[in-house]
Each structure stands twice: as C-alpha cells, then as structure tokens.
Amino acid sequence: MAAPAGRCLWRVLAPRRGCIFPGLHQRLAVAPALVSGAPPARSYAAAAKTAKKGSQKTKQEETKKKQVTKRRLLMSKPVDDVYLTWYYERPSYDLEEAVGMLKKFQELDFTYPKQYVYINVFLDMALQKKKKVDPFASTVLLPYRFTDETNKVLVFTENEQEAEIARENGAAVVGGVELIKWILEDEIQVDFYVAVPAIMPKLIPLRNKLRRKYPSTKRNSLGHDIPKMLQLFREGLEYVVEDDGIMKTRIARLDMPTEQIVDNLKTVIHDICTFKPLTYGPFVRKLVIRSSTSEGLLLNLDGLLPQVEKVEEEEEEEENADDNEEKNVQEPVST
C-alpha cells in the first residue's frame, strides 16, 4: 500500500513540464550543443531589409494624409439651452445687449457692483505688399470718466506765462532744459511729457530715454494749447497695441448707465481705427467685452466701426451709374 501511495504523491508534487518552468525543455535541448562548443542553431532569422528609394517620402506623405482630418462644420444656433459648445459657432451680441448681460451676471453672482468693464480688441495689422501697421500707443479722452485717478504730466516750456498756465491746470512738473539731467538720471518720473514747439530742438537728448512718450504732434503731446494737452493726458485713457495686434484696456465701471459704457467703448474703437487707412478694410477683426468677474462676450461689429468706406462705395456706385446713363444716351438719327 505504501508504494502506490508514494507514486501518487510523487505525481502530485512533481513539477509539470512547461508549467512552473516554461520553455525548460527547449533550453535542455540546446544544452548539449553548448557543452560541445558548437554554436546553437537559430530557429529563425530576421529577414533582410531592402531599402527602396523614395520609401521614406511615401511613408511621410501617408502619415500626413492620415493626420489631416476634416473639421466638422459648425452649426449656427443650438435648439435648446444644453449643448456642446464646440459644435456651434460662438454667439455674438449687440453692444447694448452684452452690457445688459454683464449687469445681470453681476446680480446673479453677487459680485462687486463697481467692478471695471474691459475690452479685448483683435486688430488686422496687415497692409499692402507684406507691410503692416507698426505697434502704437494712444491716449483718448473718454466722454464719461470712471475713475478719480489722474496722471502726472510734465510740461516743457521756457516761457514764464506758459509755465504759470501749466501750473494752474494741474501740471506735476514745469520747466525747461534744466529738467533734462534729472530725467536722464531718473530723478524725475512722470506718466506723460508735453511740450511747446519752441523748446523741442533742446529736447533731442531725451529722445532715446522717453521713446514713445517723447512729445510729438502725432500723439497730441506737442502744441501751444497747454490746458487742452494737460486735460487729455491727466484725465485720458492710455492704451497700447503690441506686435500681436491685440489691445486690452478698461473702459468703464459696471455700475455706470449702459449708455455711458456704450459711448466710452465707441470712443476708444473710433480712436483705434484712425491708425489704419480705411481703404485697407476694417481694422478691428474681433471685439470682446467682459467685466472683472464675468466671461467674455463676443460683440457684433455692425454699427461700431466707422462707416466712411460704405459712403465712398455708394458715391462710386452713383458715379458709375451716371457714366453708364450718359453712355446709353443715343443721338437722334438724322433723316
């Protein structure tokens, strides 16, 4: 009885072939060859690769074709209030409607009612023959002020009467050539610099220091009307357009009446459009309005941009129509 029991126990405890040591029988088959010193026989060999001319180019072209996927056409308007935004075009709103939505967002979110209103303006800087509009900065006087902050303005003049007028109208610093040294050494720092034409030849050493703040007629910082220049640069809004053609600035407070916010925005947009001739097409590509705590709303540009182009086109059409009428007039045939 012990012998059969021992054989059964051996069958249970003995490792099964290929189970605990998988591939052991293959290694045992190769072992004699290793012992004799002969190289083991390869059960398989890699196929030789034959390089074909132009094969790499064709593979690259195939991968490019695979990567190019047809973009799904966006639908115009969703049918309900729940939808996937990337399937639809971004909605645009009229200016008055968008301002009303911002005010409603503030009420629903219980956020600060006197928060600022901002605009993001995307510009088309291209001109003819690969030229483009250079980055620029400007200061505009808004019809409705939204902050009590005023800028520090320095007035260059050597006339005592003009200096007294500048002081009376709120100039932070008034002086002549003696100020050049202090400005170069950063002892005097202000927000804007204005000057009268008589002193400009003496201010050339400041050109590289002041750069875009250097007084010039193009920026309305050079002239004889000192009170007007001081009002513009003390109370005005400065905005800057960089190389990417995007301008971001604040234009109002959300608690202001809708009409005042609209007027401030239109004033800024019309000032921006003066930096590119209307013959090259619309300067503003896209316009977004938002508040400090809300999402951005895309605005409908109809009625916001200057309409000079349309007027010129209508005049040209009328002239062409008159010329055609004159050509179509036939002279009476003599009998």
Side-chain angles (χ1 to χ4, degrees):
M1 295 297 293
R7 285 196 295 270
C8 293
L9 183 61
W10 172 255
R11 289 176 182 176
V12 173
L13 296 178
R16 293 187 179 181
R17 183 179 178 182
C19 181
I20 299 178
F21 302 101
L24 180 61
H25 62 286
Q26 295 180 0
R27 292 195 290 272
L28 292 175
V30 177
L34 295 175
V35 172
S36 61
R42 296 178 64 185
S43 59
Y44 63 91
K49 296 182 180 180
T50 57
K52 296 182 180 179
K53 293 182 178 180
S55 60
Q56 294 181 352
K57 292 183 178 180
T58 55
K59 289 182 180 180
Q60 290 177 358
E61 291 177 357
E62 290 178 358
T63 53
K64 286 182 180 180
K65 290 180 181 179
K66 291 180 181 179
Q67 291 176 358
V68 176
T69 56
K70 292 184 178 179
R71 187 173 181 179
R72 183 171 180 176
L73 295 177
L74 297 177
M75 293 177 281
S76 58
K77 292 183 179 180
V79 294
D80 52 25
D81 295 336
V82 181
Y83 58 92
L84 297 175
T85 56
W86 54 83
Y87 285 160
Y88 296 88
E89 297 178 357
R90 185 177 181 180
S92 61
Y93 306 93
D94 293 335
L95 179 54
E96 291 80 1
E97 180 184 5
V99 174
M101 292 175 65
L102 295 181
K103 291 178 176 290
K104 192 67 176 178
F105 294 159
Q106 182 273 322
E107 294 176 0
L108 296 175
D109 296 338
F110 297 98
T111 53
Y112 186 56
K114 294 185 178 182
Q115 58 188 289
Y116 290 119
V117 178
Y118 298 84
I119 58 172
N120 297 352
V121 187
F122 300 82
L123 303 176
D124 182 8
M125 308 286 281
L127 296 174
Q128 284 183 345
K129 297 180 180 179
K130 297 183 180 180
K131 295 181 180 180
K132 65 176 184 178
V133 179
D134 295 329
F136 60 91
S138 180
T139 304
V140 58
L141 192 63
L142 299 177
Y144 300 99
R145 296 196 63 203
F146 58 90
T147 178
D148 296 330
E149 300 174 359
T150 56
N151 302 313
K152 295 181 180 180
V153 184
L154 183 148
V155 179
F156 286 109
T157 180
E158 293 180 331
N159 187 303
E160 188 57 36
Q161 293 181 354
E162 293 176 341
E164 187 62 28
I165 294 173
R167 295 187 189 96
E168 292 176 355
N169 285 272
V173 181
V174 182
V177 183
E178 70 277 2
L179 300 178
I180 296 178
K181 177 183 177 181
W182 302 106
I183 296 173
L184 293 175
E185 295 178 356
D186 294 329
E187 295 292 336
I188 295 178
Q189 293 183 353
V190 296
D191 299 311
F192 297 101
Y193 302 83
V194 300
V196 294
I199 199 175
M200 285 305 296
K202 301 178 182 179
L203 301 182
I204 295 177
L206 294 175
R207 184 184 294 273
N208 293 332
K209 177 70 176 180
L210 301 183
R211 296 185 180 180
R212 63 181 177 86
K213 292 187 177 182
Y214 188 75
S216 66
T217 54
K218 187 176 181 180
R219 292 205 62 197
N220 299 318
S221 56
L222 177 62
H224 295 283
D225 195 344
I226 295 177
K228 184 178 180 180
M229 291 189 296
L230 283 172
Q231 183 185 12
L232 172 62
F233 290 101
R234 288 185 73 249
E235 303 176 2
L237 172 71
E238 183 187 26
Y239 64 85
V240 180
V241 179
E242 302 293 347
D243 290 329
D244 54 3
I246 301 176
M247 188 277 290
K248 302 177 182 179
T249 187
R250 58 183 185 179
I251 59 168
R253 284 197 325 268
L254 193 58
D255 63 332
M256 294 171 60
T258 301
E259 296 79 12
Q260 295 183 4
I261 299 176
V262 170
D263 290 344
N264 282 358
L265 184 143
K266 288 183 177 180
T267 301
V268 175
I269 294 301
H270 280 258
D271 187 76
I272 291 174
C273 291
T274 59
F275 287 86
K276 181 178 179 180
L278 297 175
T279 55
Y280 293 104
F283 195 16
V284 179
R285 294 189 295 107
K286 189 169 65 174
L287 179 58
V288 178
I289 188 172
R290 66 176 181 86
S291 67
S292 301
T293 60
S294 74
E295 62 177 296
L297 301 177
L298 183 64
L299 294 180
N300 185 2
L301 297 178
D302 294 339
L304 293 180
L305 304 182
Q307 304 295 323
V308 179
E309 291 182 358
K310 295 183 179 180
V311 174
E312 291 179 354
E313 290 177 359
E314 291 177 357
E315 291 178 355
E316 290 179 359
E317 291 177 358
E318 291 177 358
E319 291 178 357
N320 294 331
D322 295 338
D323 294 339
N324 293 330
E325 289 179 0
E326 292 178 358
K327 292 179 180 178
N328 293 330
V329 173
Q330 297 180 357
E331 295 180 355
V333 180
S334 59
T335 55

